[in-house]
Amino acid sequence: MEVVVVIKAMKALFVIPALLVVLSGYAQEQDSVKVYKKRVLESAEIDILTSYYSQDGDNAAVSGGIGTEKLTDMAPSIIVSIPLNDDDVLTVDAGISAYSSASSSNVNPFDRDDADEFQASSGASSSDVWFNVTGSYSHSSDDRNSIWSAKASVASEYDYLSIGFGGSYAKLFNEKNTEVSITGNVYLDTWNAIYPIELRPFSPDGNGINNSLFTQNTITGNVNYSPSFTRFDSEGRNSYSLGFGFSQIINKNMQGSLALDLVRQQGLLSTPFQRVYFSDVADSFIEGFHLADDVERLPDTRFKLAIGGRLNYYINQMFVVRTYYRYYSDDWGIRSTTASVELPVKISDKFTLYPSYRYYSQTAADYFAPYDQHLSTDEYYTSDYDLSKFNASQYGLGVSYTDIFTGIHIGKLGMKSIDLRYLMYKRDSGLTASMISVGFKFVLD
């Protein structure tokens, strides 16, 4: 869970919002006053973003909490924001994520000789491409004190399809020094459940131990391998989120904000291809690979609550301090805290450095246990280390080039900014990861 949050959070670091320009201008002509509105977005903007992510570790959920967690991911995307008139902006965000995973390849580890949890298989699940398209529309009132937006999205991967929609409303008060907002989103997901290869023959329509996997290979350990396995009845998952925000300019040097997020999920919340092993069931092996006793099984509902705050302080023309804190809780037993600090250093009119540090700590879910430590009598169980107790640190360094006059041109596109960032992540469970991201912002002349 934490890694996924980290990966997704990186995209936001390189997108300069195009929907927050809320100034109005006034001019006087002779005896009458005529009101002029500054456009919310002066001209079309294009953000081109890409990132490369790599991780490694020895606690793969696909093989029940042991085995390689090697994964690489390349994720390019493009965001186009188009002003429709003075008040309205249409934004389209399209991206792909192409990954290669030694861990998920072991959904079927027997398509090669000498199956091993710590080696990658060459199966179909060893790589995949995720697609996402999101369209949003925003409208600002004439006085720029009210902003509402609506969005819709679709995302697809080899084992799921997600359709989402939502909207937000923001109101500014106190000469735009105070802002309150509300956001709501709904995601309707459908799994195409993929199960570990050795469990599939034991579903009601399978042929059990007579399957070719077992007749063509030798089972060692407990030779009477006969797991009690059933497929999930439903493959749908719905997520509903509601967020509240409050932002305040405290003085000329300080700005703060608070956010409250509520999330309700229902449906298939287990990952069907993640194995679980029971300590009270004798172990069975093929070529040294431990055959699964079952797959991860978790409750079909989950409620999440997160509350956080930001405090930014302008020290001088060279230094700004940005701080963030969040507390998270859910009804699966996880409690977590996140704290981060970023210190932008403006080294010239056009270049800024962004050193940062982020600390994360969480408790384990009620249903987590390490490899081969669950009991077959448990109702729910998982050995996914994203749901374990761990602490994590993330170190980052970025550099930004900004030219508001767009001196560099590529055809009719003027380059407004370039952002480059490197992040290094480490858990005390042994997982390590790194990511490098780059973003380009262009303005259509």
Side-chain angles (χ1 to χ4, degrees):
M1 179 176 67
E2 170 68 3
V3 170
V4 174
V5 172
V6 171
I7 302 174
K8 294 184 175 180
M10 292 312 98
K11 181 178 178 182
L13 292 173
F14 295 94
V15 180
I16 301 175
L19 307 178
L20 299 179
V21 184
V22 287
L23 302 174
S24 50
Y26 297 88
Q28 186 173 357
E29 288 187 0
Q30 298 175 354
D31 297 330
S32 61
V33 176
K34 185 175 181 179
V35 177
Y36 291 91
K37 293 190 299 183
K38 185 176 177 65
R39 292 168 66 91
V40 174
L41 187 64
E42 292 293 340
S43 58
E45 294 185 346
I46 300 174
D47 289 279
I48 300 175
L49 317 169
T50 189
S51 65
Y52 177 79
Y53 172 85
S54 176
Q55 74 170 43
D56 198 3
D58 295 325
N59 298 115
V62 174
S63 43
I66 62 172
T68 179
E69 292 180 90
K70 284 185 178 180
L71 180 147
T72 60
D73 178 82
M74 178 69 76
S77 65
I78 183 170
I79 303 170
V80 180
S81 299
I82 304 171
L84 303 179
N85 50 50
D86 289 350
D87 306 323
D88 302 326
V89 176
L90 175 67
T91 301
V92 178
D93 181 349
I96 63 174
S97 176
Y99 75 83
S100 175
S101 171
S103 171
S104 64
S105 72
N106 281 327
V107 171
N108 178 14
F110 306 111
D111 58 358
R112 70 182 193 277
D113 294 334
D114 210 16
D116 186 345
E117 291 90 345
F118 292 91
Q119 298 294 325
S121 170
S122 59
S125 57
S126 63
S127 61
D128 191 34
V129 177
W130 171 86
F131 300 90
N132 177 74
V133 177
T134 300
S136 63
Y137 173 88
S138 72
H139 171 80
S140 298
S141 62
D142 287 339
D143 61 7
R144 302 299 188 251
N145 285 329
S146 299
I147 306 169
W148 66 263
S149 67
K151 73 172 185 178
S153 65
V154 59
S156 177
E157 198 175 355
Y158 80 103
D159 62 344
Y160 88 95
L161 173 69
S162 176
I163 297 174
F165 53 90
S168 66
Y169 179 77
K171 185 70 176 179
L172 287 83
F173 304 92
N174 188 24
E175 297 182 344
K176 297 182 174 62
N177 289 320
T178 305
E179 179 181 335
V180 294
S181 62
I182 182 171
T183 304
N185 291 291
V186 175
Y187 295 96
L188 308 177
D189 304 341
T190 302
W191 285 86
N192 177 21
I194 307 295
Y195 298 96
I197 189 69
E198 69 270 30
L199 291 177
R200 299 174 198 174
F202 293 94
S203 59
D205 57 347
N207 57 350
I209 200 66
N210 296 317
N211 185 269
S212 60
L213 174 65
F214 309 112
T215 59
Q216 296 177 11
N217 293 280
T218 300
I219 298 177
T220 58
N222 175 23
V223 297
N224 297 314
Y225 179 64
S226 181
S228 178
F229 170 72
T230 58
R231 296 175 181 263
F232 292 104
D233 294 332
S234 173
E235 295 187 351
R237 175 181 62 194
N238 299 336
S239 300
Y240 311 93
S241 66
L242 187 63
F244 302 92
F246 171 80
S247 177
Q248 177 67 46
I249 297 176
I250 301 170
N251 55 46
K252 65 179 183 179
N253 295 89
M254 187 179 297
Q255 180 181 14
S257 64
L258 295 172
L260 172 66
D261 294 296
L262 308 172
V263 178
R264 168 77 175 182
Q265 293 181 295
Q266 62 184 42
L268 179 54
L269 305 184
S270 308
T271 304
F273 54 76
Q274 294 185 169
R275 293 175 174 86
V276 169
Y277 301 100
F278 300 135
S279 60
D280 56 343
V281 173
D283 298 338
S284 300
F285 301 87
I286 291 180
E287 298 175 357
F289 191 94
H290 195 170
L291 302 180
D293 294 323
D294 201 357
V295 297
E296 174 185 83
R297 298 195 184 265
L298 294 167
D300 58 6
T301 62
R302 188 179 187 183
F303 179 77
K304 307 177 183 180
L305 179 149
I307 183 168
R310 297 181 183 274
L311 187 64
N312 300 335
Y313 186 77
Y314 172 85
I315 299 175
N316 53 41
Q317 291 184 348
M318 188 173 184
F319 297 103
V320 177
V321 178
R322 298 173 181 169
T323 63
Y324 173 73
Y325 176 83
R326 187 190 74 156
Y327 173 79
Y328 167 90
S329 174
D330 66 29
D331 57 0
W332 285 8
I334 293 180
R335 307 287 182 268
S336 74
T337 57
T338 305
S340 68
V341 60
E342 184 179 66
L343 183 65
V345 182
K346 192 173 183 63
I347 57 178
S348 73
D349 290 341
K350 294 184 178 181
F351 288 94
T352 304
L353 290 178
Y354 293 90
S356 64
Y357 174 73
R358 179 178 182 270
Y359 175 79
Y360 178 85
S361 176
Q362 78 170 36
T363 62
D366 297 336
Y367 319 113
F368 173 81
Y371 167 73
D372 211 15
Q373 293 189 25
H374 283 289
L375 296 175
S376 60
T377 54
D378 294 338
E379 182 179 8
Y380 302 115
Y381 31 80
T382 178
S383 293
D384 184 348
Y385 272 71
D386 285 349
L387 300 178
S388 71
K389 177 182 178 180
F390 67 87
N391 300 318
S393 292
Q394 177 181 284
Y395 304 88
L397 180 63
V399 59
S400 174
Y401 167 85
T402 303
D403 181 6
I404 60 175
F405 300 108
T406 60
I408 301 174
H409 280 74
I410 301 176
K412 293 185 177 181
L413 296 177
M415 183 176 291
K416 190 173 183 179
S417 66
I418 305 174
D419 293 282
L420 178 66
R421 187 172 297 242
Y422 174 78
L423 295 171
M424 181 177 65
Y425 174 88
K426 186 175 183 179
R427 285 186 189 175
D428 58 7
S429 63
L431 178 70
T432 59
S434 62
M435 185 172 74
I436 186 168
S437 303
V438 62
F440 301 88
K441 177 179 283 293
F442 296 93
V443 178
L444 183 63
D445 291 341

